[in-house]
Amino acid sequence: MADLDEVRTRATELMTRHLSRDWVFRFDTAKTRAGLCNFTKRTISVSQYLAARSTLADVEQTLLHEIAHALAGPDAGHGEVWLVLARSIGYTGSRTHDGAVAREFARWHGECPNGHEVVRFRRPTRPMSCGKCTRRFDRRFLITWRERSPEELAASAAGAARS
Ligand SMILES: [Zn+2]
Ligand SMILES: [Zn+2]
């Protein structure tokens, strides 16, 4: 679990290294995406909820993902330019299948009884137990699924493309 002061310190370090000085870091209160890059306000923000539940290493990946958006510009989306920049500063996640990016686009969000999050692009067809809580199927750790509304999805996808 990352300490929020530590996250802020790390964010400031990374942004000082990679971005011009007018970019500012802040926490936001999003629950379905890990981070956001806002070109208008020139802010990079990280969800305080997700940060508190992630490791510092995960939050750092989110920060690098968003810093790459800031470097690539608003029109780059998750295209090649963004990806090359992201890799060059140490982002190891993919565009669409894990971490911050998946959270931005995945329609299905699941949570186990212990609060671990999973995302899926398609409706899960079989009961699934949490891979972090148990290695084999176990009903005690069943994932509860929630489908995000089209409005929610559009909002986070817009945020992803533009910020
Ligand atoms: Zn779990
Ligand atoms: Zn993104």
Side-chain angles (χ1 to χ4, degrees), residues 65-66 69 78 82 104 160 163:
H65 179 114
E66 303 306 337
H69 278 309
H78 294 113
W82 171 82
E104 285 165 8
S163 46

Side-chain angles (χ1 to χ4, degrees), residues 2-65:
D3 175 83
L4 293 187
D5 286 338
E6 255 175 4
V7 171
R8 183 182 288 279
T9 305
R10 197 71 192 107
T12 309
E13 279 170 18
L14 289 170
M15 288 170 69
T16 305
R17 188 181 312 163
H18 299 298
L19 298 176
S20 59
R21 272 199 208 169
D22 49 341
W23 283 88
V24 173
F25 173 78
R26 65 182 192 87
F27 285 108
D28 64 44
T29 55
K31 298 214 166 95
T32 53
R33 53 143 184 80
L36 187 71
C37 167
N38 185 318
F39 288 96
T40 316
K41 295 182 181 157
R42 292 178 94 75
T43 55
I44 283 180
S45 59
V46 159
S47 160
Q48 62 188 57
Y49 301 117
L50 284 166
R53 286 153 63 174
S54 312
T55 63
L56 188 59
D58 281 343
V59 180
E60 197 172 296
Q61 284 296 306
T62 300
L63 285 164
L64 293 171
H65 179 114

